[in-house]
Amino acid sequence: MNLIIGVIANVHGIRGELRVYPETNDLGIFETLSSVFIDDKEYKRSSTRFHKNMVLLKLEGIEDRTTAERLKGKEIRAKEEELPPLHPEEYYIYELIGSTVYDEKSQKVGELVDVLENKANDVFVVRTDEGKEILLPYIDECVLQVDQKNKKIVIKRMEGLL
């Protein structure tokens, strides 16, 4: 499976270098990958450097500004097996989507439909059976258990959130 690691925001210079907005917390990924995918086409990575909060990525086959500009707004993906291993308590967001969310009394709250990434903490978007969306901060006080294998999440009902 190919996972999104960034989005091409713009070009940099005249030699086809891409300005990439990273969609990952680990920018080191961009330095270790041998290749990336854009629109299912594989490109070998030539070089990677960083500027402010952007990744400057040079790919083989993209040698000029005109070619690079055609890729603006496109997602950059990487093979999951090329990404560094996760720590035991870490997950890829796609692995959690579709999980059933229960409260601490085993009552179903809804289904996890999205995870909003935020500087302070991630936020779970849970859709109830009635179609209402609930936003839950992914903090220890609220999210008690994440069982990725069984697609089950247990939360604590907190006043003002549910």
Side-chain angles (χ1 to χ4, degrees):
M1 172 178 274
N2 292 342
L3 302 177
I4 299 169
I5 60 168
V7 175
I8 300 169
N10 210 337
V11 297
H12 184 80
I14 60 170
R15 292 191 175 90
E17 200 169 29
L18 303 170
R19 288 178 59 90
V20 177
Y21 178 78
E23 292 285 336
T24 175
N25 296 336
D26 183 3
L27 296 182
I29 287 171
F30 288 93
E31 295 178 303
T32 62
L33 294 172
S34 59
S35 63
V36 297
F37 294 83
I38 303 170
D39 287 341
D40 296 326
K41 182 176 178 186
E42 186 171 12
Y43 293 89
K44 297 272 185 218
R45 183 182 65 82
S46 295
S47 67
T48 304
R49 28 188 213 125
F50 304 98
H51 180 65
K52 299 184 180 176
N53 63 338
M54 302 294 272
V55 178
L56 302 179
L57 189 61
K58 182 72 176 104
L59 303 174
E60 290 179 15
I62 302 172
E63 304 302 328
D64 59 67
R65 185 176 185 89
T66 303
T67 305
E69 283 179 337
R70 291 189 200 120
L71 300 175
K72 276 200 243 181
K74 304 257 185 201
E75 296 173 339
I76 293 186
R77 295 177 175 265
K79 290 180 183 175
E80 183 178 354
E81 55 269 16
E82 273 203 72
L83 299 176
L86 298 176
H87 296 294
E89 294 297 315
E90 293 180 322
Y91 331 92
Y92 291 113
I93 290 173
Y94 82 90
E95 295 174 315
L96 299 180
I97 301 298
S99 295
T100 305
V101 179
Y102 297 91
D103 67 12
E104 68 272 23
K105 296 178 184 171
S106 298
Q107 293 179 322
K108 183 179 175 187
V109 175
E111 178 182 330
L112 183 70
V113 295
D114 199 2
V115 177
L116 307 175
E117 295 184 75
N118 183 326
K119 286 189 182 192
N121 55 268
D122 291 343
V123 177
F124 284 178
V125 180
V126 179
R127 184 172 296 133
T128 66
D129 290 340
E130 296 79 34
K132 178 182 173 187
E133 286 191 350
I134 301 167
L135 302 178
L136 301 170
Y138 187 16
I139 56 175
D140 291 341
E141 296 82 19
C142 184
V143 179
L144 303 177
Q145 178 189 9
V146 175
D147 182 349
Q148 171 197 347
K149 184 189 266 184
N150 295 308
K151 298 204 61 98
K152 177 182 176 183
I153 298 172
V154 179
I155 60 141
K156 180 178 181 180
R157 286 191 179 264
M158 298 177 74
E159 196 171 321
L161 292 179
L162 297 175

